[in-house]
């Protein structure tokens, strides 16, 4: 067989279901081999969209999403999405075609050293220089991508290698088991927790990657310890859970920040520093920190770990829970009560433009609890992270490691492919929407019905928010938008414009019921940003 055929067989061996990408001259043999495979190739309109699709698919399923581009600009267009997956610890394998090995040693048309370029943003980067290493390279790429901490891997495939003849077969797939936590570390953590006066849990995305959310909920309930989650761990405990405090990460004196300032022991479970830097929630550097994860703690001056319990998170939580004494304090109930009151404040407000709080209230009301919201990056992300209630993990996906704009629309397509029985909503600002809106055509062609809710303010709202806070004036953040309704219709999708505040909820319900792509143009009142900043700046923490 050709090396390209062996490569595709190796992907089949890894149970790859979809490849997202764009055909090119240097991946012709791979594209032809895919015609005889059960793997579904999703032709995208931009390689960045393909990488974001693989990113979100990997994060939702735990299996490495796969994206494909050609050499040169095709590969560099993959770069942002691959970096996002790696920093957000989503399993992904990126593949790029390359020129013949006969011209890699010199200046040549569209040739870049892709293996070296991608090395900086992946866990593993390799070049196929001979057909007989294909089984090893593919197996290693998927093993490394899917092993904690999960992340991105890259394979460069020169065109002359792809067309060579080879007799070989894929390697067996074996999944490593996470190690058991050391007994002395478990005992030490349980002792610290038992003696704590005011403990708090910071739960990160690692809990979701380890599928340990049920154990975390039981741990918090039995030991009566309140749980704050990072943006990327929304839903890790149900918001209805009596110990749930909501999301931490607003970089302001929010209610959850009050919880950290009152705590004497902070239990970080599945927490990655890229999710919410510790200098923001532990500026005093004087609290006792327990680190529970599959991997050792990162070194950081604001993250001085007293004890690290490294091993299977599920087992760590169960073993500590069986040894520790339950907490007997108030479990910071006043913080939870204050946050809920804040969430409910504008639920009946119908003023136009709509307040962020009202948009989120109507969105949460319209969606089923297991539906999926894909959140882009911008001011709306801060509001969604703070106020969108989640009862299940992976039902509100937020990128907060690399935090790249443009992820929501392609990510929503991947989410719908991964979970076709759930409704999927891309929640995006007008700026992020237009960065990858070309993938609407992909969604229409693939028949993946999604709703795209555009928060329209004709500007880079989050940057304006920060500019006003820092300098009292804004700088070069305004722009104009096309008619989003006509834009949607030009793709064959449905377009809606919110012209009365009371119309958002019924429009969302109608769009969710549509068996197609729907775009909702919703004007947003971002003057609420500054009001929130002022409120948090003046807030006295509820005791």
């Amino acid at each position: 067989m050709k090396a390209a055929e062996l490569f595709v067989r190796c992907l089949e061996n890894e149970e790859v279901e979809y490849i997202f990408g764009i055909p090119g001259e240097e991946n012709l043999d791979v594209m032809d081999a895919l015609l005889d495979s059960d793997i579904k190739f999703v032709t995208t309109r931009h390689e960045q969209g393909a990488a974001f699709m693989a990113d979100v698919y990997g994060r939702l399923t735990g299996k490495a999403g796969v994206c494909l581009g050609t050499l040169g600009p095709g590969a560099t267009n993959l770069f942002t999405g691959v970096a996002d997956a790696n920093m957000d610890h989503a399993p992904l394998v990126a593949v790029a075609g390359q020129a013949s090995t006969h011209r890699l040693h010199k200046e040549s048309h569209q040739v870049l050293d892709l293996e070296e370029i991608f090395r900086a943003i992946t866990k593993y980067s390799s070049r196929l220089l001979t057909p007989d290493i294909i089984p090893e390279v593919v197996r290693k790429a998927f093993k490394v991508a899917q092993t904690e901490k999960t992340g991105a891997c890259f394979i460069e495939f020169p065109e002359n290698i792809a067309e060579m003849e080879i007799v070989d077969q894929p390697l067996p797939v074996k999944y490593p088991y996470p190690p058991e936590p050391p007994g002395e570390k478990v005992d030490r953590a349980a002792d610290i927790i038992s003696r704590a006066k005011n403990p708090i849990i910071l739960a990160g995305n690692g809990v979701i990657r380890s599928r340990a959310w049920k154990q975390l909920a039981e741990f918090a309930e039995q030991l009566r310890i309140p749980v704050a989650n990072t943006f990327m761990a929304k839903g890790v405990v149900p918001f209805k859970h009596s110990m749930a405090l909501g999301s931490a990460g607003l970089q302001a004196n929010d209610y959850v920040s009050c919880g950290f300032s009152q705590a004497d022991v902070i239990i970080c479970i599945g927490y990655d520093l890229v999710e919410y830097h510790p200098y923001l929630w532990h500026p005093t550097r004087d609290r006792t920190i327990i680190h529970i994860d599959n991997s050792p703690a990162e070194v950081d001056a604001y993250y001085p770990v007293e004890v690290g319990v490294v091993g299977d998170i599920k087992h760590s939580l169960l073993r500590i829970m069986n040894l520790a004494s339950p907490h007997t304090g108030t479990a910071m109930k006043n913080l939870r009560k204050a946050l809920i009151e804040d969430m409910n404040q504008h639920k009946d407000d119908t003023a136009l433009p709509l307040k962020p709080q009202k948009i989120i209230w109507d969105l949460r009301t319209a969606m089923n609890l297991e539906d999926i919201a894909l959140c882009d990056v911008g001011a709306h992300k801060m509001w969604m992270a703070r106020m969108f209630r989640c009862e299940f993990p992976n039902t509100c996906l937020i990128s907060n490691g690399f935090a790249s704009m443009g992820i929501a629309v392609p990510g929503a397509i991947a989410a719908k492919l991964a979970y076709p029985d759930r409704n999927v909503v891309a929640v995006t600002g007008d700026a992020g929407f237009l960065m990858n809106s070309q993938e609407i055509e992909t969604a229409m062609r693939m028949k993946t019905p999604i709703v795209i809710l555009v928060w329209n303010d004709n500007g880079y709202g989050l940057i304006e928010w920060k500019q006003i806070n820092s300098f009292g004036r804004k700088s070069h953040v305004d722009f104009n938008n096309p008619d989003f309704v006509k834009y949607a219709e030009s793709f064959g999708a449905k377009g809606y414009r919110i012209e009365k505040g009371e119309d958002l909820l019924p429009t969302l319900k109608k769009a969710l019921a549509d068996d197609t792509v729907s775009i909702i143009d919703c004007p947003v009142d971002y003057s609420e940003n500054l009001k929130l900043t002022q409120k948090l700046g003046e807030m006295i923490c509820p005791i």
Side-chain angles (χ1 to χ4, degrees):
M1 74 186 91
K2 282 186 177 181
E5 295 175 84
L6 174 61
F7 185 80
V8 170
R9 289 191 184 182
C10 289
L11 297 182
E12 292 170 342
N13 186 56
E14 299 291 341
E15 299 182 349
V16 172
E17 186 177 10
Y18 295 100
I19 297 176
F20 307 95
I22 295 180
E25 289 185 50
E26 284 69 24
N27 57 33
L28 288 176
D29 286 283
V30 172
M31 296 305 304
D32 185 71
L34 285 169
L35 291 176
D36 300 317
S37 172
D38 290 333
I39 297 173
K40 303 176 185 70
F41 190 85
V42 178
T43 304
T44 63
R45 302 308 301 271
H46 195 286
E47 291 90 350
Q48 185 181 108
F52 279 140
M53 290 178 197
D55 177 357
V56 170
Y57 181 89
R59 183 166 162 184
L60 279 173
T61 66
K63 300 188 298 182
V66 181
C67 55
L68 173 71
T70 189
L71 84 173
T76 56
N77 281 345
L78 291 171
F79 197 85
T80 296
V82 174
D84 188 271
N86 197 55
M87 196 166 284
D88 281 2
H89 299 298
L92 175 149
V93 173
V95 183
Q98 180 58 288
S100 167
T101 55
H102 302 115
R103 59 187 181 100
L104 295 184
H105 64 287
K106 59 185 177 181
E107 181 179 320
S108 189
H109 178 66
Q110 290 192 313
V111 169
L112 296 170
D113 187 342
L114 299 178
E115 180 186 18
E116 189 61 30
I117 288 172
F118 277 85
R119 193 183 309 280
I121 60 158
T122 58
K123 295 178 69 180
Y124 169 67
S125 181
S126 183
R127 174 182 292 156
L128 297 173
L129 291 175
T130 177
D132 60 348
I133 67 170
I134 289 174
E136 291 180 347
V137 169
V138 173
R139 178 79 280 271
K140 181 173 181 178
F142 278 84
K143 179 179 180 179
V144 172
Q146 294 170 165
T147 303
E148 279 292 318
K149 293 181 178 182
T150 56
C153 294
F154 174 75
I155 300 173
E156 179 184 321
F157 201 173
E159 59 179 337
N160 63 317
I161 304 298
E163 62 189 19
M164 290 180 179
E165 294 294 323
I166 179 72
V167 177
D168 209 337
Q169 59 185 4
L171 297 179
V173 175
K174 296 183 179 180
Y175 299 101
Y177 290 96
E180 282 295 309
E184 65 273 18
K185 299 292 186 180
V186 170
D187 293 343
R188 175 73 174 135
D191 179 63
I192 293 173
I193 292 170
S194 297
R195 291 187 289 106
K197 295 180 179 179
N198 219 18
I200 188 173
I201 293 169
L202 176 59
N205 186 250
V207 178
I208 298 177
R209 296 195 303 269
S210 298
R211 304 293 193 264
W213 52 82
K214 291 182 180 179
Q215 289 77 12
L216 173 61
E218 185 180 356
F219 181 91
E221 181 70 27
Q222 181 167 316
L223 298 183
R224 292 190 48 77
I225 303 175
V227 181
N229 57 264
T230 64
F231 286 8
M232 292 180 60
K234 284 184 69 66
V236 71
V237 293
F239 189 76
K240 66 182 179 183
H241 193 292
S242 61
M243 295 295 112
L245 288 180
S247 299
L250 197 58
Q251 299 187 18
N253 188 32
D254 203 354
Y255 299 118
V256 181
S257 300
C258 293
F260 290 109
S261 66
Q262 295 173 16
D264 59 336
V265 173
I266 303 172
I267 308 163
C268 298
I269 307 174
Y271 159 74
D272 304 316
L273 269 64
V274 295
E275 298 181 71
Y276 183 31
H277 200 286
Y279 76 79
L280 294 167
W281 54 264
H282 188 211
T284 55
R285 301 199 287 185
D286 59 353
R287 310 304 159 94
T288 299
I289 290 179
I290 297 173
H291 174 87
I292 302 174
D293 202 354
N294 287 306
S295 306
E298 177 64 87
V299 175
D300 188 279
Y302 293 86
Y303 196 62
V305 174
E306 179 70 21
V307 59
V309 183
V310 178
D312 186 292
I313 292 179
K314 293 180 182 179
H315 293 180
S316 297
L317 293 176
L318 291 174
R319 289 172 60 182
I320 294 170
M321 180 177 66
N322 289 332
L323 293 173
S325 302
H327 178 59
T328 58
T330 61
M332 305 183 188
K333 285 188 176 180
N334 286 338
L335 296 180
R336 176 177 168 82
K337 180 181 177 182
L339 180 59
I340 292 173
E341 289 175 354
D342 212 17
M343 289 177 167
N344 298 346
Q345 185 178 2
H346 294 292
K347 64 180 182 179
D348 298 319
D349 193 323
T350 58
L352 204 70
L354 276 80
K355 292 180 172 60
Q357 303 95 317
K358 172 62 174 174
I359 297 175
I360 292 173
W361 183 273
D362 284 0
L363 179 64
R364 178 68 283 174
T365 303
M367 295 177 67
N368 295 323
L369 292 179
E370 293 193 60
D371 289 345
I372 300 171
L374 259 295
C375 195
D376 213 276
V377 174
H380 66 282
K381 178 181 103 169
M382 313 306 288
W383 288 103
M384 284 288 291
R386 187 172 188 266
M387 292 196 159
F388 187 78
R389 308 182 191 197
C390 290
E391 302 299 330
F392 299 96
N394 277 342
T395 54
C396 181
L397 267 65
I398 296 176
S399 170
N400 210 46
F402 200 54
S404 174
M405 294 176 70
I407 191 174
V409 173
I413 296 170
K416 189 64 178 178
L417 290 172
Y419 291 99
D421 296 331
R422 300 191 195 181
N423 291 318
V424 177
V425 180
V427 182
T428 179
D430 44 3
F433 170 59
L434 284 179
M435 287 187 177
N436 275 311
S437 62
Q438 74 281 347
E439 301 303 341
I440 295 171
E441 189 279 325
T442 305
M444 293 297 296
R445 173 168 31 88
M446 295 296 298
K447 294 181 172 57
T448 51
I450 60 173
V451 175
I452 303 170
L453 177 60
V454 182
W455 298 37
N456 191 343
D457 71 327
N458 291 287
Y460 293 102
L462 179 61
I463 304 306
E464 179 180 341
W465 187 357
K466 293 180 178 292
Q467 287 175 346
I468 296 297
N469 283 336
S470 297
F471 306 107
R473 58 183 182 175
K474 63 181 183 178
S475 174
H476 305 91
V477 291
D478 297 322
F479 51 72
N480 298 315
N481 285 314
D483 185 322
F484 287 140
V485 173
K486 291 181 179 178
Y487 188 62
E489 292 171 347
S490 72
F491 287 99
K494 290 189 177 182
Y496 302 92
R497 181 174 294 109
I498 303 303
E499 296 179 332
K500 293 188 296 182
E502 56 267 28
D503 287 349
L504 179 58
L505 181 56
T507 301
L508 280 165
K509 289 181 177 180
K510 186 177 188 308
L512 287 167
D514 290 339
D515 190 27
T516 189
V517 178
S518 298
I519 291 89
I520 302 175
D521 180 359
C522 182
V524 58
D525 178 10
Y526 273 145
S527 66
E528 288 295 307
N529 296 349
L530 297 177
K531 293 177 184 177
L532 177 63
T533 300
Q534 182 178 0
K535 175 182 177 180
L536 298 182
E538 298 172 352
M539 187 176 71
I540 298 174
C541 291
I543 304 300

